[in-house]
Structure formats: structure tokens, C-alpha cells
Amino acid sequence: MSDFPSSKYDRGKIFAKTGLSVGKNYAKHYLKNLRGSDEQRNSEFYNQTAQQIFSEFTKLRGTALKIAQSLSIDQGLLPDEFSEVMTQAQYSVPPINRSLIRSIIKRELGSYPEVLFESFDTEAIAAASIGQVHTARLKSGEKVAVKIQYPGVRDTIASDLGLAKSLFKRFIKNKEDLNEYFEEIESTLRLETDYIHEGETINRFHNRFSTDRFETPRWIKEYSTERVLTMSFLEGEHLREFLERDPSQEEKNAFGQKIWDFFHEQIRQSDEIHADTHPGNFLLTEDGKLGIIDFGCVKNFPDEFFIDYLLLLPTHLERDLDKIKTLYDRLGVLKGDPETNQTEKKYFEFCLNYGFTFAMPYENDTFNFGNPEYREMIRGYTKNAPIGNEARGNKHFLYSTRVHLGLYHFLMKLGATVETKKSRDIVEERIGEAIV
């Protein structure tokens, strides 16, 4: 492919006539041309601005950081520099002090931790945007995890949303379209900061997914409130710890297969989707199961959106341009006709190529996520949207994309090769059930 196709659907015709290798080369060529644009022009300005916002939001803690993550990480709504800076919120929030922890537990559970528990570790094992986690032992001797919400987090959602909206509107086009994204974030945050709701979700996932392949904690209801959540503690290795011991390729593949299968098993059951595919939320248990440990962000996607989202896979694999365009219209990706509007044509071509790249793992029966060429393609498309900083697409993309890209990034860090035929069948069966 020495020449870049110029007519409006020439590239799609190439997809329809050729296999994976040509499609991959096409997508790579498109990306190379895309990167020829002046992508560094505002980088320094955006980075400095993002650092300033992150610094202020870290002081605020709570939902301000969650809002920034939701809008910036892998979504393309904000400049890429925001994504890189806001990712720090997963790791860089300092824990609150011990005396405040004791007073929160006293207020919420009626007694101080040393009275309620056989033991309670005042050093947090994790601290993030909404709360921090401590280990403890019940009087029965069972080890548990106790998640404690930062004071006033739920009360700051509305004000934080207003602050974030006023800041981010400076960088986002079509500001009138931004409100529905903020409404989606607000509704999700209100559930994510209700630990009773999360506890009930933990129990549902425990009943559905505690099998010979997956393990989830149990909710300890009597030691939980809306702001304190106690659950059974899962022992195991997180991704970083797993990789530090230099596992074999077979071990990497087995770990990767488990998280790949968990994602698609959720699609098969079609109820709820764990929407925070961050490495810190998954571990490999001592008996070789996939442990899932955080259920604050779990989504029930509307059937109408979810089926259209799933349909993106077979339509891209089949290179069916008419069906792809129809889906893009329904999902709000296009705002005009790419045949007559040059802006929409540019956006359509980008999404078409990115969609094909995204569908590549399903093309054959196995896929190697450790392939550095594929990692570079995914990274290139997420960082080089030709029409950036614009609110486009159904609001539910905020979390569906977060789930799917999070899965890919996990597997790429792991360097796993996974079997994908069964998962492709699951997607097709789920679509078929809905269409019938």
C-alpha cells in the first residue's frame, strides 16, 4: 500500500476484499498519515494546565478526581495531556490520618475500630479518589478489607461537577453537548459513593461469578454503612506483583485468558458490567482464580445502546460500510453525512480504521496482545483523533470504552496470548438473542 486511497470509500472496499494483513497495513498507514498533523502544537500549554487542575483536584480529593478521570482517560474528550496527568489520581492521593479514620468508623459503626475488630491496621493498603482501604480481622478471625469514604465526598458531587464543567468547557468543542456526559458521570458517582449499593452489587457478583475460574469477595453487611464498606479479603497477586516475579509465558497467557473470559462472561449474562478495568481491581488468587475486588463502578447499559455497541464488532470484521455508517449514526458518532461533509468524512474514516484495529483480536481464534506493533497501533489511535476535544457519541461510551480499552491495556501490559473464538461466539449469540 504505497499510495493512500483518496476516494470516500476506497479504503473500505479494500477491507472488503482482503484479509487481516492488508487491513492491518491499511490501518497502520492511515495512522501514520494522521500523525503527520501538528499534534504537538499545544502540548506544553495543555500539560501545564492539566498539572494545575490535578494539583487543585488532589486537594479537593473525592469526586473531582473521578470526574477528571472519566472525561480524560482514553475518551478523547480532552487533550491527551490531561489523560496522562489525571492517571496520577489512581496512585497519588495521600491517605487521610489515623485519628480521622477512627472517628469515621466510630460515627458510622458505633464504636472505635479496636472495639469492633479483633485487629485493625491503621495504615491504608490503598488510597484513591473517593476512599481508602484498610485490612482488619473480625472477632471470628476472618481477614477483611474495610473501605472508608473520605468525609463529605457525596456532598461535594454537585459542586465538583460544576467546577469541572467550568474548567473543561474551555477545552471541549460543542459545549452544549457536554451536559449529558456530566449527567451520566453524576448518576454513576452517586451510586459509586453509596457503599450499601456497592455491597449489594458485591453479593450479586459473588452469586453469579464465584466459580472454579473467578472469585469475588463477600459483603459483610453488619460492618457496613453508606460510607464504610467491609468485605472478605482476597489474597493474591496484582498485575505488577505478578510481572515482578518474571512468570512464564504460559502463566501470562493463563492470567490473561481469565480476565478476557470474565469480560465476555458478563456479556453473555447481559445484566451488569464491571466498568472499572483497572489493574488494581483484579488479582490472581493463590489457587489460580481471577479475583475481582472493587465493585463501585458497575454499569447497567441500556439494551438499545449495548446491542449497537456489540454490533460494532461483526460489522467491522465484515467490513460492511453501510451497516457501520448506520451504527455510527445511531450511536451519535456522526453528526452529518460523510459523503457530503468533509469534516464528517474525516471523522468516519478515523473511526472506521480505529474500529477495525479494535476488532482485530476477534479476527482469528487466538490473538497476541504482547505484539508491540499492536500496542503501538492502539496507543496511536487513542492519542491521535483527528477531531479532538469534542463531545461525540452516546454518553454510555464514557464507560463502555473505559471497560474495553482497560481490558486491552491490561492484556498488553501482561503480554498475553488469548483464545478469542468462544468470546466472538458469545458476542454473536448475545446480538442474535436481542434481534430475535
Side-chain angles (χ1 to χ4, degrees), residues 147 192 194-202 229 294-296:
K147 183 157 70 170
E192 197 167 350
D194 181 352
Y195 285 174
I196 295 295
H197 178 269
E198 182 174 350
E200 294 169 345
T201 303
I202 288 172
L229 175 66
D294 190 296
F295 295 88

Side-chain angles (χ1 to χ4, degrees), residues 94-113:
I96 56 179
N97 64 60
R98 300 177 183 182
S99 61
L100 185 53
I101 288 296
R102 291 182 74 248
S103 66
I104 292 173
I105 291 179
K106 173 67 164 60
R107 183 182 69 244
E108 293 295 319
L109 298 179
S111 296
Y112 290 110

Side-chain angles (χ1 to χ4, degrees), residues 218-428:
R218 294 176 294 101
W219 181 34
I220 313 297
K221 185 176 181 179
E222 56 269 34
Y223 291 90
S224 300
T225 68
E226 287 188 356
R227 294 173 177 83
V228 173
L229 175 66
T230 302
M231 70 196 90
S232 57
F233 189 88
L234 297 190
E235 302 280 0
E237 295 176 314
H238 291 287
L239 179 62
R240 185 187 64 181
E241 300 162 334
F242 175 80
L243 292 176
E244 283 176 350
R245 65 173 172 83
D246 193 23
S248 67
Q249 188 60 50
E250 289 75 16
E251 290 177 294
K252 293 178 183 178
N253 294 347
F255 193 177
Q257 192 69 55
K258 289 180 177 66
I259 194 167
W260 179 266
D261 289 347
F262 173 68
F263 173 77
H264 291 88
E265 185 64 20
Q266 292 178 94
I267 293 175
R268 188 185 69 81
Q269 296 195 23
S270 70
D271 290 324
E272 299 172 298
I273 303 294
H274 186 289
D276 195 2
T277 317
H278 178 269
N281 294 334
F282 299 89
L283 50 82
L284 187 65
T285 66
E286 295 176 335
D287 57 355
K289 298 179 182 180
L290 176 71
I292 307 101
I293 60 173
D294 190 296
F295 295 88
C297 187
V298 171
K299 298 297 294 182
N300 284 283
F301 294 113
D303 283 345
E304 183 179 70
F305 165 80
F306 193 53
I307 297 305
D308 278 349
Y309 183 80
L310 294 180
L311 277 167
L312 290 172
L313 174 62
T315 54
H316 280 82
L317 289 177
E318 295 164 4
R319 319 330 187 225
D320 191 325
L321 297 184
D322 290 336
K323 288 183 180 179
I324 291 171
K325 183 176 178 296
T326 298
L327 282 173
Y328 286 174
D329 284 334
R330 289 208 300 256
L331 289 167
V333 174
L334 293 177
K335 297 184 176 182
D337 189 346
E339 293 189 42
T340 58
N341 186 309
Q342 287 298 312
T343 297
E344 296 307 308
K345 175 184 176 181
K346 186 177 182 182
Y347 207 88
F348 176 72
E349 289 179 344
F350 172 83
C351 292
L352 182 68
N353 283 279
Y354 188 22
F356 171 72
T357 303
F358 216 71
M360 280 171 58
Y362 300 87
E363 183 83 13
N364 295 310
D365 292 349
T366 62
F367 189 79
N368 177 17
F369 281 94
N371 185 338
E373 183 179 61
Y374 186 71
R375 289 199 302 267
E376 182 62 22
M377 289 179 69
I378 287 289
R379 181 178 181 273
Y381 276 107
T382 56
K383 290 177 177 291
N384 290 279
I387 307 173
N389 316 345
E390 184 171 358
R392 275 188 183 246
N394 189 292
K395 64 181 181 180
H396 296 293
F397 274 123
L398 278 173
Y399 292 97
S400 66
T401 304
R402 179 180 177 182
V403 176
H404 217 154
L405 268 177
L407 172 69
Y408 281 24
H409 287 316
F410 191 105
L411 292 167
M412 288 187 287
K413 289 178 182 177
L414 192 58
T417 296
V418 298
E419 297 178 3
T420 60
K421 181 181 185 304
K422 182 179 178 181
S423 54
R424 186 173 65 242
D425 293 342
I426 287 173
V427 172
E428 292 174 353

Side-chain angles (χ1 to χ4, degrees), residues 57 60-65 67 153 156-165 182:
F57 279 16
L60 292 171
R61 298 180 184 268
T63 56
L65 284 175
I67 294 163
V153 164
T156 65
I157 291 175
S159 59
D160 283 355
L161 280 166
L163 171 64
K165 190 183 296 186
F182 275 92

